């Protein structure tokens, strides 16, 4: 692979003056090598009408992209690099061979190294490398922002357009009135409804909050929008059938419309409302608690709730070793600020209901249902389906080793976000060099005014979802503004004793059928209800009295504020070391775990605009509205989880618990003794214990963890020890134990078409979860608790599994049931009782044996074989299946649990 020679300027300070458009790396002080990355499938994301015709005619490849044949260059070139690491000999990796799996990631490119050079306006040059990545150099920050808008639109124009319409809750209007698009609009209205005026105003509001820094951001944002519009006009100059215009516009019979400030906020609202939040499931928790109390009585019901909630499990793996107390404590519904909606009270819809257009189904309850019924987030376009739910489920990983444990005395890191797989990818890459910014990396399409994840002059950073608790469920007493008797249909609420009308609006869309967005032409009219706390989700009763159930999110109406922190990340005058990076991260309101590496230090900071909750409220349960129960301010930056150069010698995150004492948000029950992050931390402990860690060592360790069935590896010892010696099950238990002892990998290393341990995979998958013809689920995890909970095991508001068969790559994340197995069968006695077999060890063993016997009999009959060793498993069920959002998609690849955008970092010099 091409290597770019980069001039080192040790100790140099990045110049703040303007850079000439033709500047070369030699003229720019302070660029240090040491970063590689990969972003499948590729940088190019547009398909024109002529290209689409060529792709569809004959269709010999099933519309799977082959660069230069049926797709643009650079559409899928990085996919092959990405997939190749999954069957590489990890023990033979070298510094040189890493170039087969990752591309170099410098900040700048010379004219001689560039594949193409574009000067779309004075003061701007955009060079592209062999992978199609744009390298932007500009004379001013505003010029650079303009160029980011221009280049980003060139690479992701239609996808950006989709995302701004989704953020505005106008997917059905833009893409057509399919059931999926209508449901997505309902969900967005319930998450982040804004009028266009409200959205646009947020841009000036954030500028006002941040003074001169905010004013510079405002100017850059306006330039970014101008760059988007310039590229749109160039690609589609009033003609959807133009040779350079994305073909999707012809399919939709739509002309692309100019962007404005509101559009930027609408896309930001997707990041804040879907990806950068945690909590909001207090309603589901309250219902579950009431069910437990009905069956077991108040005291025992609460103890069971606390056991299974795993809010602050002392045995849960953490990223930081330094305590950071926040939230948690035993559930207490008797606190005066707690509001418990009635289990069987009357209900009326909240936001998203039909406001008179007809034909709109009732909205999903979304987060009010916990994790049993996730909110619909599928969008159907002219050539494919986009599922945003795949992006927002707390994914991404990071592994960093400190300098004292490495071979060269400098930190090494492998990290990146797991944002699912799309063609084109939701993320887009760029390198930007201008006054106030020297950064390269990725951002969500349409938000690339800044580099959200990437590298700077002599440092690199990444993030994982933290899912910290910044969303609450607030219960508001209803009233009739006309003075009548309140009912669940009322649209007034009590505020300090006064009956205040809700902010009641109608969100209207004119939706015409399109290719992909089928459905009759219609005018869609959605009802929107808001109180001072936020958006109304449902109206019901509490204690027999009518109430509104409202979601309060700390970043609502402040969707754009986090861009300040992102802007600081890329500014070498702001970020000069680990401490200044943590300060920059503290300005980000979204709940993410941030990781940093330079040539000296590794560092961690968990961000979020996190409320300090009032005494008398319970973080697990809904709270009443009212001054005494309101948020009391925000958690101070110094109280967030953070650490620099931990004594362990490494930092690991895979969406696990950030720090000791940091309680999980009310919607997260999976921070127990089993978490997929153990697959990384176990390997990091071994590496740092041996010392002399190299970059290939760390890449190999992270990739080895990427094929582990963490569910099986960490639960099977407890399950099999409890089953014990049973002659009827000897072959099955031996098969499973042998697989676990060899690492429980789901890997086809020789690419012969089957997992090496397919028989064990097939057996354990069936034991963990199987569905009958009637849809009934059979699971060993359910049987574990059934002896105590009975049929309530299926009402617990948490998903049973996070399996690769979803096609997302990411798997085994934050599933509480994995921890229940270890806690109940082999724990340290932290639970209030034993659940398996109703607390009887003999009954427990028989329950698990019966469960495994039934599984063996069932799978042998289903596959028509006589021995569990003959079982087969179709590995393609687990394949990563990239969602094609345009004409051409990409081939499926073997499963690996790995960041979508992954950086490999080893700086050996710096300022």
């Amino acid at each position: 692979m091409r290597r770019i020679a980069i001039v080192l300027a040790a100790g140099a300070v990045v110049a703040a003056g303007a850079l000439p458009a033709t500047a070369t790396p030699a003229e720019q002080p302070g660029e240090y090598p040491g970063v590689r990355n990969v972003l499948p499938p590729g940088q190019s994301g547009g398909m024109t009408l002529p290209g689409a015709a060529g792709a569809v005619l004959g269709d010999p490849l099933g519309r799977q992209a082959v660069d230069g044949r049926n797709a643009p260059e650079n559409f899928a070139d990085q996919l092959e690099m990405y997939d190749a690491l999954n069957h590489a000999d990890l023990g033979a990796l070298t510094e040189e061979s890493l170039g087969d799996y990752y591309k170099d990631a410098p900040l700048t490119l010379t004219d001689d190294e560039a594949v193409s050079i574009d000067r779309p306006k004075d003061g701007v040059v955009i060079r592209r490398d062999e992978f199609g990545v744009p390298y932007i150099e500009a004379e001013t920050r505003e010029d650079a922002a303009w160029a980011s808008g221009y280049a980003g639109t060139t690479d992701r124009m239609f996808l950006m357009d989709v995302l701004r319409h989704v953020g505005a809750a106008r997917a059905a209007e833009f893409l057509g009135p399919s059931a999926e698009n209508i449901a997505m609009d309902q969900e967005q209205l319930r998450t982040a409804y804004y009028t266009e005026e409200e959205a646009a105003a947020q841009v000036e509001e954030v500028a006002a909050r941040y003074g001169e820094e905010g004013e510079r951001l405002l100017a850059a944002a306006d330039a970014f929008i101008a760059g988007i519009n310039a590229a749109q006009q160039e690609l589609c100059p009033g003609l959807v059938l133009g040779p350079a215009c994305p073909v999707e516009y012809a399919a939709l019979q739509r002309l692309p419309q100019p962007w404005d400030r509101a559009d930027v906020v609408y896309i930001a609202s997707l990041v804040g409302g879907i990806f950068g939040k945690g909590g909001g499931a207090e309603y589901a928790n309250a219902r579950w608690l009431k069910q437990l109390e009905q069956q077991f009585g108040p005291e025992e019901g609460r103890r069971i709730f606390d056991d299974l909630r795993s809010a602050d499990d002392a045995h849960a793996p953490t990223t930081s070793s330094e305590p950071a107390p926040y939230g948690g404590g035993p559930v207490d519904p008797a606190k005066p600020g707690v509001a418990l909606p009635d289990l069987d009270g009357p209900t009326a819809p909240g936001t998203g209901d039909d406001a008179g257009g007809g034909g709109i189904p009732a909205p999903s309850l979304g987060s009010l249902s916990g994790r049993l019924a996730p909110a619909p987030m599928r969008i159907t376009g002219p050539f494919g389906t986009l599922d945003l739910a795949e992006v927002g489920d707390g994914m991404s990983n990071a592994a960093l080793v400190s300098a004292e444990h490495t071979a060269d005395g400098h930190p090494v890191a492998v990290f990146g976000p797991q944002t699912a797989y799309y063609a084109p990818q939701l993320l887009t890459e760029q390198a930007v060099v201008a006054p106030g910014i020297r950064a390269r990396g990725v951002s969500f399409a349409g938000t690339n005014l800044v580099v959200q994840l990437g590298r700077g002059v002599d440092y690199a950073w990444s993030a994982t979802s933290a899912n910290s608790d910044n969303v609450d469920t607030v219960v508001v007493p209803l009233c009739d503004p006309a003075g009548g008797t309140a009912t669940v249909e009322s649209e007034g609420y009590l505020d300090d004793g006064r009956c205040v009308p809700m902010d009641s609006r109608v969100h209207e869309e004119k939706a015409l059928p399109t290719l992909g967005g089928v459905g009759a032409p219609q005018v869609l009219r959605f009802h929107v209800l808001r109180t001072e706390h936020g958006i109304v989700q449902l109206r019901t009763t509490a204690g027999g009295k009518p109430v509104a159930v409202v979601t309060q999110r700390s970043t609502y109406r402040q969707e754009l504020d986090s861009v300040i922190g992102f802007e600081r990340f890329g500014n070498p005058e702001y970020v000069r070391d680990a401490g200044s990076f943590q300060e920059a991260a503290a300005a980000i309101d979204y709940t993410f775990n941030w990781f940093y590496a330079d040539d000296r230090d590794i560092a961690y900071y968990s961000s979020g605009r996190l409320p300090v909750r009032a005494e008398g409220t319970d973080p697990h349960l809904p709270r009443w509205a009212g001054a005494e129960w309101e948020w009391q301010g925000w958690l101070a930056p110094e109280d967030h989880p953070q650490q620099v150069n931990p004594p362990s010698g490494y930092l690991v995150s895979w969406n696990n618990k950030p720090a000791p004492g940091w309680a999980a948000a009310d919607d997260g029950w999976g921070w127990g003794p089993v978490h997929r992050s153990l697959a990384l931390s176990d390997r990091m402990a071994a590496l740092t214990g041996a010392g002399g860690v190299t970059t290939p060592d760390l890449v190999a360790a992270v990739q080895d963890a990427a094929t582990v069935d963490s569910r099986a590896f960490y639960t099977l010892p407890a399950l099999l020890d409890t089953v014990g010696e049973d002659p009827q099950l000897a072959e099955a238990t031996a098969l499973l134990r042998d697989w676990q002892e060899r690492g429980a990998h789901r890997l086809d290393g020789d690419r012969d078409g089957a997992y090496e341990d397919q028989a064990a995979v097939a057996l354990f998958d069936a034991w963990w979860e199987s569905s009958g013809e009637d849809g009934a689920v059979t699971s060993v995890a359910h049987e574990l608790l059934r002896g105590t909970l009975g049929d309530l095991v299926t009402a617990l508001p948490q998903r049973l599994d996070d399996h690769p068969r979803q096609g997302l790559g990411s798997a085994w994340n934050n599933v509480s049931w994995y921890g229940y197995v270890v806690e109940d069968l082999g724990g340290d006695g932290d639970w209030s009782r034993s659940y398996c077999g109703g607390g009887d060890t003999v009954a427990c063993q028989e329950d698990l044996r019966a469960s495994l016997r039934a599984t063996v009999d069932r799978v042998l009959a289903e596959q028509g074989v006589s021995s569990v060793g003959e079982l087969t498993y179709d590995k393609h069920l687990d394949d990563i299946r990239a969602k094609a959002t345009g004409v051409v998609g990409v081939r499926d690849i073997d499963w690996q649990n790995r960041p979508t955008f992954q950086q490999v970092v080893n700086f050996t010099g710096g300022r």
Side-chain angles (χ1 to χ4, degrees):
M1 177 179 290
R2 171 186 57 82
R3 295 280 185 256
I4 298 177
I6 300 174
V7 175
L8 301 183
V13 177
V14 177
L19 295 170
T22 57
T24 65
E27 297 173 287
Q28 299 166 352
E31 181 172 340
Y32 297 83
V35 181
R36 300 177 174 93
N37 73 38
V38 65
L39 176 63
Q43 181 66 23
S44 179
M47 178 69 74
T48 63
L49 184 60
V56 174
L57 288 175
D59 204 20
L61 299 169
R63 279 187 264 173
Q64 291 182 3
V66 175
D67 281 16
R69 285 185 57 182
N70 63 337
E73 294 290 344
N74 307 128
F75 188 88
D77 51 346
Q78 295 182 61
L79 181 70
E80 301 310 317
M81 301 168 66
Y82 188 86
D83 180 46
L85 185 60
N86 198 23
H87 59 93
D89 180 354
L90 298 180
L93 289 181
T94 64
E95 290 285 350
E96 292 71 27
S97 67
L98 289 180
D100 295 334
Y101 313 110
Y102 300 92
K103 62 186 191 293
D104 285 327
L107 291 176
T108 56
L109 200 66
T110 66
D111 285 354
D112 289 342
E113 293 165 329
V115 173
S116 68
I117 303 172
D118 188 13
R119 293 182 170 82
K121 73 184 293 283
D122 291 343
V124 169
V125 61
I126 303 174
R127 301 177 181 89
R128 289 184 183 263
D129 66 12
E130 63 183 287
F131 294 98
V133 176
Y135 293 69
I136 295 166
E137 295 183 32
E139 294 181 358
T140 68
R141 180 66 183 98
E142 290 77 16
D143 284 342
W146 186 97
S148 290
Y150 180 90
T153 304
T154 301
D155 292 334
R156 298 285 191 276
M157 178 175 166
F158 181 70
L159 179 58
M160 289 166 57
D161 217 350
V162 169
L163 293 177
R164 68 163 164 165
H165 282 89
V166 171
R170 295 192 176 278
E173 186 170 82
F174 183 60
L175 298 170
S178 67
E180 293 87 349
N181 293 341
I182 291 172
M184 180 69 238
D185 286 342
Q186 287 177 311
E187 182 57 28
Q188 182 62 6
L189 290 172
R190 294 165 61 82
T191 301
Y193 168 76
Y194 300 111
T195 66
E196 187 165 349
E197 294 75 21
E198 289 172 341
Q202 290 187 51
V203 180
E204 291 194 4
E205 289 166 2
V206 67
R209 278 191 287 273
Y210 285 91
E212 290 185 10
E213 190 176 14
E215 290 301 322
R216 290 194 297 271
L217 175 65
L218 178 62
D222 285 341
F224 176 69
I225 294 166
I228 293 174
N229 288 331
Q232 279 198 166
Q233 180 61 27
E234 185 176 307
L235 293 172
C236 306
L239 297 172
V240 298
L241 299 180
C245 193
V247 66
E248 291 87 357
Y249 291 101
L252 294 173
Q253 291 298 293
R254 302 260 192 271
L255 285 172
Q257 299 300 308
W259 283 57
D260 58 26
R261 289 177 176 178
D263 293 317
V264 175
V265 174
Y266 284 138
I267 293 185
S269 76
L270 293 176
V271 179
I274 297 176
F275 316 131
K277 68 178 179 65
E282 294 93 346
Y283 179 84
N285 291 352
R287 294 182 62 83
W288 168 244
L289 177 61
K290 282 198 166 188
Q291 289 173 296
L292 289 174
E293 289 182 337
Q294 283 183 353
Q295 181 163 326
F296 296 97
E299 291 187 7
E300 185 65 10
R302 294 173 196 178
R303 283 194 288 267
I304 293 172
F305 181 96
D306 288 334
D307 286 346
L308 302 180
R309 171 77 174 84
S310 303
D312 186 18
D313 192 312
H315 305 292
T318 63
T319 296
S320 170
S321 59
E322 297 177 355
Y326 182 69
V331 68
D332 187 356
K335 288 185 175 181
V338 170
L340 297 177
D342 298 328
L343 272 178
D344 300 312
T347 62
T351 294
D353 191 36
D354 192 341
I360 298 177
S364 159
L365 289 181
S367 65
L368 296 186
S369 301
R371 287 182 175 264
L372 279 181
M377 294 184 189
R378 291 170 60 87
I379 310 154
T380 55
F383 299 107
T385 298
L386 184 70
D387 191 349
L388 294 178
E390 297 177 356
V391 187
D393 192 26
M395 303 188 282
S396 312
N397 70 24
L400 303 85
V401 177
S402 61
E404 63 180 307
H405 296 281
T406 64
D408 64 4
H410 300 285
V412 291
V414 177
F415 46 30
Q418 288 178 274
T419 55
Y421 297 82
Y422 301 91
Q425 188 53 252
L426 287 185
L427 300 173
T428 187
E429 186 175 4
Q430 63 179 350
V432 186
V433 171
I437 183 170
R438 289 177 64 85
R440 173 186 177 144
V442 298
S443 306
F444 284 101
T447 70
N448 58 306
L449 165 65
V450 292
V451 173
Q452 293 169 339
L453 306 157
R455 63 156 298 179
V457 170
D458 55 1
Y459 58 92
W461 74 95
S462 190
T464 68
S465 295
N467 303 117
S468 296
D469 196 356
N470 70 340
V471 183
D472 276 2
T473 301
V474 181
V475 176
V476 185
L478 291 175
C479 60
D480 180 3
T485 301
T487 71
V488 293
E489 300 283 349
S490 295
E491 294 188 12
Y493 66 100
L494 291 176
D495 182 10
D496 290 332
R498 297 178 301 111
C499 188
V500 179
M502 291 182 184
D503 178 22
S504 178
R505 299 174 184 264
V506 173
H507 176 81
E508 186 172 292
E509 302 179 60
K510 297 178 175 63
L512 299 175
T514 66
L515 180 63
V518 297
Q522 56 188 300
V523 174
L524 302 171
R525 303 180 78 247
F526 301 92
H527 199 187
V528 176
L529 294 172
R530 293 186 292 185
T531 73
E532 63 178 346
H533 291 96
I535 300 171
V536 177
Q537 305 295 305
L538 179 72
R539 289 169 290 176
T540 183
T541 60
K545 297 181 179 180
V547 296
V549 179
V550 181
T551 294
Q552 182 177 21
R553 172 166 57 91
S554 69
T555 52
Y556 184 60
R557 298 187 184 275
Q558 294 187 205
E559 307 286 2
L560 210 59
D561 285 49
S562 292
V563 78
I564 292 290
F566 290 122
E567 180 76 357
R568 291 174 180 175
F569 280 166
N571 187 345
E573 296 175 2
Y574 195 100
V575 175
R576 303 191 58 81
D577 53 26
S580 56
F581 173 81
Q582 290 176 319
E583 291 174 5
I588 293 177
D589 290 346
Y590 304 142
T591 67
F592 287 109
N593 298 306
W594 295 100
F595 296 90
Y596 168 94
D598 59 22
D599 69 317
R600 303 176 301 278
D601 301 309
I602 60 174
Y604 163 60
Y605 186 89
S606 189
S607 71
R609 190 171 191 247
L610 303 178
V612 175
R613 293 175 171 85
E615 293 290 334
T617 64
D618 186 301
H620 314 288
L621 300 172
R623 64 174 171 85
W624 287 110
E628 61 184 318
W629 314 125
E630 300 298 340
W631 290 340
Q632 305 297 298
W634 310 105
L635 192 69
E638 61 269 21
D639 294 329
H640 285 240
Q642 55 196 289
Q643 197 162 29
V644 178
N645 297 329
S648 66
Y650 64 87
L651 288 168
V652 159
S653 175
W654 211 343
N655 314 111
N656 52 285
K657 185 176 181 175
W662 190 267
D666 51 85
D667 64 334
W669 294 30
W671 289 352
V674 174
H675 197 282
R676 65 180 181 177
S677 66
L678 291 170
L680 283 176
S681 57
D682 287 351
R683 287 161 174 77
M684 294 306 101
L687 282 180
T688 55
V693 179
T694 66
T695 306
D697 290 340
L698 187 57
V699 169
V702 173
Q703 185 60 31
D704 190 57
T707 58
V708 172
D709 186 328
S710 297
R711 170 200 57 172
F713 185 79
Y714 293 103
T715 65
L716 269 173
L719 287 168
L720 295 178
D721 286 351
T722 303
V723 168
E725 301 295 329
D726 182 338
Q728 295 182 44
L729 296 172
E731 185 183 11
T733 56
L735 178 74
L736 293 173
R737 196 176 291 279
D738 176 65
W739 177 46
Q740 189 277 335
E741 290 176 348
R742 288 184 296 103
H745 288 276
R746 302 170 81 97
L747 178 66
D748 177 14
D750 58 8
R751 294 295 171 100
D752 66 354
Y755 287 150
E756 277 83 348
D757 295 284
Q758 62 173 331
V761 170
L763 179 58
F764 186 68
D765 273 10
W767 194 21
W768 187 265
E769 182 180 12
S770 295
S771 297
E773 293 183 0
D774 60 354
V777 173
T778 302
S779 169
V780 64
H782 281 171
E783 296 313 306
L784 182 81
L785 301 186
R786 192 181 299 278
T788 297
L789 297 184
D791 290 342
L792 275 184
V793 293
T794 59
L796 194 152
Q798 294 292 305
R799 61 185 175 178
L800 183 61
D801 204 1
D802 182 26
H803 197 279
R805 72 171 69 93
Q806 300 168 97
L808 310 181
S810 179
W812 324 126
N813 186 35
N814 286 337
V815 177
S816 60
W817 293 92
Y818 306 160
Y820 296 165
V821 170
V822 171
E823 193 72 60
D824 199 38
L825 298 181
D828 295 324
D830 290 346
W831 275 6
S832 65
R833 62 181 296 162
S834 295
Y835 290 82
C836 185
D840 183 302
T841 56
V842 174
C844 172
Q845 182 179 65
E846 184 48 43
D847 285 349
L848 296 190
R849 286 180 174 181
S851 173
L852 183 54
R853 285 191 208 105
T855 299
V856 170
D857 292 343
R858 184 174 65 254
V859 294
L860 291 180
E862 288 172 352
Q863 294 200 17
V865 296
S866 58
S867 166
V868 291
E870 299 175 80
L871 293 173
T872 60
Y873 182 84
D874 182 0
K875 72 165 188 173
H876 297 300
L877 294 173
D878 296 354
D879 280 355
I880 293 173
R881 299 181 286 277
K883 301 296 188 298
T885 58
V887 178
V888 173
V890 296
R891 70 178 182 86
D892 297 344
I893 61 173
D894 275 18
W895 175 71
Q896 51 181 313
N897 202 353
R898 179 182 174 194
T900 314
F901 170 68
Q902 189 174 49
Q903 296 184 93
V904 176
V905 180
N906 179 214
F907 287 106
T908 57
R911 291 171 290 171

